[in-house]
Amino acid sequence: MKIAVAKEIEVGERRVALIPDTVSRLVKQGLEVWVEAGAGLGSFFSDAAYEAAGAKIISDTATLWGEADILLKVGIPQEREDGRSEVDLLREGAVLIGFLNPLGNPAVVQRLAEHKITAFSIEMIPRSTRAQSMDALSSQASVAGYKAVLIAAAALPKYFPMLTTAAGTIPPAKVFVMGAGVAGLQAIATARRLGAVVEAFDIRPAVKDEVQSLGAKFVEVQLNEDTVAAGGYAKEISEVSKQRTQEVVAEHVKQADIVITTAQVPGRKAPVLVTEEMVAQMKPGSVIVDLAAEQGGNCACTEPGKDVLWNGVTIIGPINLPSSMPVHASQMYAKNLSTLVQYLVKDSAIQLNFEDDIINSACVTHAGEIRNQRVKDALVNTQQSAVK
Ligand code: NAD
């Protein structure tokens, strides 16, 4: 059983799928681990460290991909410089595990199916207690929430904590976090540790207690509809509810020095929570960090990957924040992936029990088929838009 770790070729991706520590654990369990030369360098893990952990370093990319039984990576397979897709390097029947973005990029999933790859999309792991240690969406979102606050603090022309000094008293910064999922809760905790006064809002009322337990105030909005979908995710809300939400949050945005937005609805464009009118009401020098920038943005003024100065307000739309903290992001991701590998491999063979909800949810292609109905629907929608 060969477990292979690919070097990420996507521009800006510094994470790696396994770190030396997890390699040594897999090797002790009798698995053979191959690591592509230089795969860990972006995360400061040398080839020598992987070798010392028991991995074999492979310089030839085609050999690594072509002979892997299970290929582990971080991001979606890429087109290579030689014009071939990474998918085409895998042998038929091999297992691929990574963030495959199957709802956002169903074409890659189709290619994996055509190539008869058994692909596991780590973002489709159920958000259940049983699967917690494989939940890479959570581990990486937590990094993003933490880093968002540090970026905001660095961009803010003010202190975060309250200070009483001989040169006068400095009031604490006011932080407003919109969307209190994993990233939002980590942002709240980080902003509190830096000494800010924090408010938070989410359309899922269940998060109120978590927000309050972190020392933040929960901003309540009464909506006359169910806001929670299967799996505990938020639903897309009606236009009436969006308007109601915007009316309530506008005052909190206006008062804030920093707004961190993290609101997402899986498979949909991110909801716009901060309008141009709200930005216009903010104090000059205020900062918005929009963690939904890649999904269309929670702020109407966000430009993905850019810092925009709008009426004196800085709007930051970071892309792939977990990659900017690659040591711990990779460490946690490696733990998530190695747990899934251990779950799949029994007695040196891959056991695909589709009765198991973790395997059934995360396995998006097998034996030439796309297995997930939501991915099939996303593919039909993409094809229909291309025809129009
Ligand atoms: P996410 O990234 O999909 O969304 C972030 C947050 O945005 C969510 O809290 C969501 O409610 C909120 N949101 C969506 N639309 C909004 C709007 N219009 N206005 C304001 N907020 C809006 O969420 P996530 O962090 O991935 O968490 C998703 C769910 O999974 C949550 O219920 C979370 O508690 C659950 N979860 C469970 C486990 C576990 O049990 N092991 C682990 C992690 C997450």
Side-chain angles (χ1 to χ4, degrees):
M1 176 66 53
K2 280 193 201 80
I3 316 288
V5 177
K7 181 174 163 63
E8 301 298 314
I9 58 171
E10 186 175 1
V11 176
E13 184 54 78
R14 295 179 54 188
R15 290 169 293 173
V16 59
L18 290 184
I19 67 164
D21 192 40
T22 42
V23 167
S24 66
R25 265 183 249 158
L26 292 174
V27 169
K28 274 186 200 133
Q29 285 162 16
L31 299 169
E32 189 175 341
V33 182
W34 285 13
V35 175
E36 189 168 356
L41 290 182
S43 299
F44 305 97
F45 299 111
S46 65
D47 289 349
Y50 283 106
E51 248 174 339
K56 188 168 164 190
I57 302 299
I58 307 290
S59 302
D60 183 53
T61 308
T63 304
L64 180 111
W65 282 76
E67 295 192 22
D69 294 305
I70 302 182
L71 191 293
L72 304 179
K73 76 188 297 313
V74 178
I76 200 161
Q78 301 289 304
E79 296 298 317
R80 288 156 41 93
E81 272 178 5
D82 64 7
R84 293 178 76 191
S85 163
E86 287 183 320
V87 172
D88 300 340
L89 300 181
L90 287 164
R91 66 167 178 77
E92 220 178 271
V95 172
L96 172 72
I97 309 179
F99 277 110
L100 304 179
N101 188 13
L103 299 177
N105 199 342
V108 170
V109 178
Q110 185 176 35
R111 192 163 190 160
L112 286 162
E114 285 164 2
H115 214 72
K116 298 198 170 53
I117 305 302
T118 299
F120 283 84
S121 181
I122 197 79
E123 55 270 79
M124 305 297 267
I125 292 274
R127 310 299 285 279
S128 60
T129 308
R130 202 163 72 88
Q132 220 163 9
S133 52
M134 307 174 203
D135 183 356
L137 271 183
S138 286
S139 67
Q140 305 304 294
S142 149
V143 174
Y146 168 81
K147 195 70 189 274
V149 174
L150 300 191
I151 289 173
L156 187 74
K158 293 181 173 182
Y159 273 115
F160 250 54
M162 189 180 101
L163 295 178
T164 310
T165 79
T169 300
I170 307 283
K174 287 187 184 153
V175 174
F176 186 33
V177 176
M178 304 178 83
V182 178
L185 291 171
Q186 187 57 253
I188 294 169
T190 307
R192 290 282 302 136
R193 280 183 214 120
L194 285 178
V197 170
V198 184
E199 293 185 323
F201 158 71
D202 198 296
I203 51 167
R204 290 184 299 120
V207 297
K208 179 179 176 180
D209 287 347
E210 289 172 274
V211 166
Q212 289 178 336
S213 71
L214 292 169
K217 184 181 158 214
F218 188 66
V219 173
E220 306 221 26
V221 183
Q222 296 297 332
L223 300 177
N224 293 325
E225 64 179 283
D226 189 5
T227 54
V228 185
Y233 287 102
K235 272 186 186 166
E236 190 167 26
I237 52 173
S238 65
E239 281 308 313
V240 175
S241 290
K242 278 183 197 160
Q243 281 236 325
R244 171 88 194 105
T245 307
Q246 288 182 356
E247 281 160 21
V248 176
V249 299
E251 192 53 32
H252 298 270
V253 171
K254 185 177 166 185
Q255 301 294 334
D257 295 300
I258 286 178
V259 175
I260 311 260
T261 65
T262 76
Q264 308 257 9
V265 179
R268 307 248 172 222
K269 198 172 169 293
V272 175
L273 307 179
V274 183
T275 61
E276 279 188 14
E277 294 73 30
M278 289 187 209
V279 179
Q281 293 287 313
M282 290 178 77
K283 295 176 285 237
S286 305
V287 177
I288 299 174
V289 177
D290 189 347
L291 287 191
E294 283 171 271
Q295 284 72 39
N298 289 145
C299 173
C301 307
T302 299
E303 290 186 36
K306 293 198 178 149
D307 295 1
V308 178
L309 190 62
W310 209 90
N311 274 0
V313 177
T314 303
I315 300 124
I316 302 172
I319 284 178
N320 196 359
L321 270 189
S323 172
S324 72
M325 232 177 72
V327 173
H328 282 152
S330 299
Q331 179 184 320
M332 293 194 286
Y333 186 64
K335 170 73 184 168
N336 299 142
L337 286 202
S338 60
T339 309
L340 178 57
V341 167
Q342 286 162 331
Y343 196 73
L344 285 174
V345 179
K346 304 265 155 51
D347 301 325
S348 295
I350 297 161
Q351 307 280 336
L352 290 177
N353 172 15
F354 291 120
E355 304 282 302
D356 179 292
D357 74 317
I358 297 176
I359 294 175
N360 188 41
S361 305
C363 183
V364 287
T365 63
H366 177 62
E369 296 289 329
I370 298 180
R371 298 191 59 261
N372 183 299
Q373 191 55 45
R374 281 166 73 210
V375 179
K376 283 186 195 167
D377 294 345
L379 192 61
V380 171
N381 289 341
T382 317
Q383 285 160 348
Q384 282 171 350
S385 324
V387 171
K388 282 179 203 159

